[in-house]
Amino acid sequence: MIVEVKRKMEDGNYSISRHCEEERRSNLTPMISVIAFFLLLISQSSFAQKKSKNMNDKQIVIYQLLPRLFGNKNTTNIPYGTIEQNGSGKFNDITDKALDGIKELHVNYVWYTGAIAHASLTDYSAYGIKVDDADVVKGRAGSPYAIRDYYDVNPDLAVDVKNRMKEFEALVKRTHSKNLKVIIDFVPNHVARSYHSYAKPKNIIDFGAKDDVTKGFSAQNDFYYIPGQKFLVPQHEPKQTPISALQDGKFDENPAKATGNNAFVAQPKYDDWFETIKLNYGVDYQNGEKQYFEPIPPVWTKMRDILIYWTKKGVDGFRCDMAEMVPIAFWNWVIPQVKKENPDLIFLGEAYNPQVYKQYLEEGKFDYLYDKVGLYDGLKKLIRNEPSADVKDIRHVWQVESAGFGKHMLRFLENHDEERIASVGFAEKAELALPAMVVSATLGSGPVMLYFGQEVGESGKGAEGFGGDDNRTTIFDYWGVPNHQKWMNGGLFDGHKLNAAQQSLRAYYKQLLKVTSTSDAVVNGEIYDVPQAGNMNNRMYAFIRYSGKQRLLVVANFDRTQTLEANFEIPDSILKVKNSSPVTDLLTDKKLNIPVGTSIPVKLAPVSAQVIEF
């Protein structure tokens, strides 16, 4: 979602309803404790069955890309440039060759971000689409999370705008032909202020069409209103940009509707999600968050219909934006209904509150959740060599925070919201993150994700437009992505323009994901925390993943200067699980000259990792 506000939310500046009850552990009788234990076993068993069905015993590897950026060969890169100046990638640019290149990374799901039609400043009025107002659009291209029409695709991404849906459907078919699955965004919390569906099926009623706008809240309304007040464009420090001439400081909305980040005012702030309208799931936020879920609010059924619509288009999964801002009761109701259309669908929730992870998985019925506030945050400190960095953060994640459901946490080091690893503000060098990537890919059996360009060290450099020079690749503007374009090589997708370091980086990702995506120890195994040994410090970590078919010793050295030297003792209980294998470093495919025994000596250079099969 919109990055500059999300960071404030994570810091606690915004209050988001979580709709969860605290567990009353202190009042449990011994008998109830036993029952709770067995219920936990049952829920974990159902999780495992669901995961196996979805993954076919392989780790899910997701590759996130914005089609607008991914296929763009234009290198002009004018800040706030138009689509004519800076160009835009198309659905058709994601060719068989492109998909083969993605698949080389052992990816099995592709997340097409920004596929659904969203507000932008590009004029498609010739195709019957009303031009959006520059006062309520962020950037020239607009945010992919300000949906303009849930039943349409982004016209920017079509070669032939009239046939844009057919081009999307062809992309889905092309992706499936490579044995890859398709994920798109589902944005349930809010829509663009200009929302109007031109492409909806005939039996569909548009959002707000039957609302009683005289009521600030009604469970039968799709939106929240500020009766008697017109919407006022947010005030901010004047800054002249190439789109200033398109802005007059006005937007016709009367009465004003509440803004997407729960701002119930006629004039939101500039750092609010002012370009979006909050959707009403039957929660009266201004009166103690009282819930009105019976009868089912109209938004629920509208959203169910939207999910089923895209499922019938062949979509295999939904990344659900800001899932915690929508009542958990809705997820509990809608996910089973949509899965009747396709039981193998996956629902991936963007979530930031570890206290409710388990509830969103069990009660909310999500398949996977972001592991951002936890593993990502801890690994980022280690990558950056911050004073507070400590591998205890890694241990806390799997032993405490997601204990019992770690296989349902999505691990990543980059996505569209986060800083690029190779950016000046993060680590500058992409190679500094390789130990963290090894941990992300091996710590659990849940999905691991790459963001396009990560594997070739994209730095996100430059002030592209609305996003500014913020160490990220813009999601708001038309832009070319330089290092990714080197791999794209004019549409050949062969990487021939990459330098040696970039080719080496991509080869590392390729080998790592080859190991983890097919590893029985990673997908099905247990985890054992290896005690500190040798000269290990708080920037060095080791653990074992093991199953009846495979044993792996994973060692990560985040220290910038010190070589890790240790002799790791292997417990008899793990040695007895299976017969010994030749001791091999799987990241290099090199047999190690180590006799099979009860210990494994390791000498690991600074900022490096090993995955040792034994």
Side-chain angles (χ1 to χ4, degrees):
M1 193 28 222
I2 303 163
V3 294
E4 75 279 6
V5 179
K6 181 175 294 179
R7 290 197 293 273
K8 292 189 175 186
M9 289 171 59
E10 291 162 9
D11 292 337
N13 291 349
Y14 286 97
S15 174
I16 298 175
S17 176
R18 305 295 183 183
H19 304 295
C20 62
E21 292 185 14
E22 295 182 0
E23 295 181 65
R24 301 173 181 178
R25 294 192 181 97
S26 60
N27 295 328
L28 286 175
T29 64
M31 179 59 72
I32 295 176
S33 297
V34 171
I35 293 171
F37 173 75
F38 280 107
L39 287 175
L40 178 61
L41 289 179
I42 292 169
S43 68
Q44 289 178 3
S45 174
S46 65
F47 279 170
Q49 291 170 9
K50 179 166 59 176
K51 170 182 166 292
S52 177
K53 186 173 184 180
N54 285 331
M55 293 180 54
N56 297 319
D57 294 323
K58 284 190 176 182
Q59 183 182 42
I60 285 181
V61 181
I62 300 171
Y63 190 86
Q64 183 195 5
L65 65 88
L66 278 75
R68 186 202 323 139
L69 302 177
F70 181 87
N72 189 17
K73 305 177 186 68
N74 191 319
T75 59
T76 305
N77 284 358
I78 297 171
Y80 284 99
T82 65
I83 193 170
E84 291 81 12
Q85 291 170 322
N86 286 352
S88 174
K90 309 295 182 183
F91 292 132
N92 289 359
D93 290 322
I94 306 169
T95 61
D96 287 332
K97 285 186 177 180
L99 293 167
D100 286 338
I102 292 171
K103 199 169 180 180
E104 284 178 355
L105 296 165
H106 301 275
V107 168
N108 40 42
Y109 279 79
V110 185
W111 168 14
Y112 294 119
T113 303
I116 297 180
H118 58 80
S120 81
L121 298 186
T122 300
D123 186 353
Y124 290 103
S125 58
Y127 302 94
I129 301 171
K130 186 178 178 181
V131 178
D132 286 305
D133 190 311
D135 289 288
V136 288
V137 176
K138 290 183 175 177
R140 178 83 70 173
S143 168
Y145 297 96
I147 300 297
R148 180 172 62 193
D149 186 347
Y150 276 113
Y151 287 98
D152 201 359
V153 293
N154 183 359
D156 285 344
L157 307 180
V159 175
D160 179 359
V161 175
K162 288 183 179 178
N163 290 313
R164 57 192 179 274
M165 185 61 77
K166 289 182 180 179
E167 291 185 22
F168 173 76
E169 291 167 348
L171 173 60
V172 172
K173 185 176 180 180
R174 198 158 57 246
T175 306
H176 287 164
S177 74
K178 296 295 181 180
N179 200 27
L180 295 166
K181 295 190 175 185
V182 172
I183 295 174
I184 65 169
D185 288 281
F186 174 54
V187 188
N189 178 66
H190 48 263
V191 294
R193 295 212 103 91
S194 59
Y195 187 89
H196 177 80
S197 180
Y198 299 96
K200 66 183 185 297
K202 291 181 179 179
N203 62 324
I204 296 297
I205 299 171
D206 228 349
F207 287 102
K210 293 188 175 182
D211 281 8
D212 181 349
V213 301
T214 66
K215 296 180 178 178
F217 168 79
S218 165
Q220 295 305 302
N221 280 352
D222 294 334
F223 300 125
Y224 299 90
Y225 295 89
I226 296 87
Q229 298 185 55
K230 294 181 179 180
F231 173 80
L232 298 175
V233 172
Q235 296 293 313
H236 64 99
E237 185 178 338
K239 178 183 177 183
Q240 287 298 310
T241 72
I243 63 174
S244 295
L246 303 175
Q247 299 170 326
D248 62 3
K250 300 175 183 177
F251 179 70
D252 185 16
E253 181 182 289
N254 188 16
K257 301 180 182 76
T259 295
N261 60 302
N262 296 2
F264 293 85
V265 291
Q267 185 175 39
K269 297 177 182 177
Y270 190 68
D271 60 357
D272 284 334
W273 304 347
F274 66 84
E275 83 281 28
T276 68
I277 307 167
K278 175 78 175 180
L279 285 167
N280 175 9
Y281 284 80
V283 179
D284 189 354
Y285 288 97
Q286 295 183 288
N287 288 288
E289 300 189 10
K290 191 171 180 180
Q291 299 173 345
Y292 299 86
F293 297 158
E294 293 183 11
I296 295 296
V299 165
W300 290 31
T301 54
K302 288 182 171 74
M303 286 303 191
R304 178 198 61 195
D305 293 343
I306 288 164
L307 287 165
I308 290 174
Y309 174 84
W310 290 105
T311 300
K312 288 181 176 179
K313 293 283 185 188
V315 168
D316 304 291
F318 297 94
R319 178 270 189 188
C320 302
D321 186 71
M322 299 307 295
E324 293 166 300
M325 293 188 76
V326 173
I328 198 167
F330 166 74
W331 299 115
N332 175 274
W333 176 84
V334 78
I335 289 177
Q337 293 191 60
V338 181
K339 285 194 174 188
K340 289 178 182 177
E341 296 292 326
N342 178 6
D344 290 334
L345 276 174
I346 65 169
F347 280 80
L348 168 61
E350 180 191 18
Y352 297 101
N353 181 5
Q355 300 302 315
V356 296
Y357 285 168
K358 186 177 179 183
Q359 187 183 14
Y360 271 78
L361 291 167
E362 293 183 349
E363 186 181 339
K365 301 189 182 300
F366 275 93
D367 296 286
Y368 307 105
L369 300 176
Y370 271 35
D371 197 343
K372 196 278 181 192
V373 181
L375 189 63
Y376 171 87
D377 286 348
L379 289 175
K380 184 173 184 178
K381 289 189 289 186
L382 287 160
I383 296 167
R384 286 167 48 84
N385 198 32
E386 295 180 11
S388 63
D390 197 312
V391 295
K392 69 181 182 182
D393 290 339
I394 303 172
R395 185 178 293 111
H396 178 79
V397 165
W398 70 268
Q399 291 187 353
V400 179
E401 191 173 272
S402 57
F405 54 86
K407 65 182 67 175
H408 299 279
M409 303 305 293
L410 167 72
R411 273 71 192 252
F412 58 85
L413 295 182
E414 285 192 0
N415 64 40
H416 66 279
D417 282 325
E418 308 303 341
E419 294 177 308
R420 289 286 194 176
I421 297 162
S423 68
V424 173
F426 193 152
E428 291 195 58
K429 294 181 179 180
E431 291 77 12
L432 291 173
L434 293 180
M437 191 63 211
V438 171
V439 171
S440 288
T442 57
L443 189 69
S445 53
V448 61
M449 185 171 75
L450 299 181
Y451 186 40
F452 84 106
Q454 176 183 344
E455 73 278 15
V456 293
E458 181 55 48
S459 66
K461 186 177 181 180
E464 309 101 332
F466 181 85
D469 195 357
D470 64 351
N471 306 309
R472 295 165 176 81
T473 295
T474 180
I475 65 171
F476 306 104
D477 308 281
Y478 299 109
W479 202 252
V481 184
N483 285 351
H484 167 71
Q485 288 177 326
K486 293 177 184 177
W487 174 72
M488 184 167 51
N489 191 19
L492 296 177
F493 297 97
D494 57 12
H496 284 182
K497 290 186 178 180
L498 297 172
N499 62 33
Q502 291 166 334
Q503 290 178 354
S504 177
L505 180 67
R506 192 173 195 277
Y508 190 100
Y509 274 91
K510 182 178 175 180
Q511 180 65 16
L512 170 63
L513 294 170
K514 175 185 175 182
V515 170
T516 63
S517 64
T518 58
S519 165
D520 190 73
V522 170
V523 174
N524 299 310
E526 303 295 328
I527 185 169
Y528 167 77
D529 193 50
V530 175
Q532 279 199 332
N535 69 340
M536 290 179 73
N537 59 34
N538 66 351
R539 282 167 169 74
M540 302 171 179
Y541 192 58
F543 57 94
I544 293 172
R545 297 299 310 274
Y546 65 99
S547 69
K549 297 179 180 179
Q550 189 182 40
R551 292 184 302 229
L552 302 177
L553 171 64
V554 181
V555 188
N557 183 6
F558 297 93
D559 198 294
R560 294 282 183 94
T561 59
Q562 188 167 320
T563 297
L564 185 160
E565 295 187 67
N567 196 54
F568 293 110
E569 298 292 331
I570 311 301
D572 288 341
S573 57
I574 294 177
L575 290 172
K576 291 176 181 176
V577 166
K578 66 176 287 294
N579 293 329
S580 296
S581 303
V583 182
T584 306
D585 181 351
L586 296 183
L587 296 183
T588 61
D589 278 333
K590 290 182 180 178
K591 299 288 190 293
L592 303 180
N593 187 22
I594 298 171
V596 176
T598 60
S599 65
I600 298 177
V602 171
K603 186 174 183 179
L604 190 59
V607 195
S608 60
Q610 281 186 300
V611 179
I612 300 171
E613 186 174 31
F614 64 96

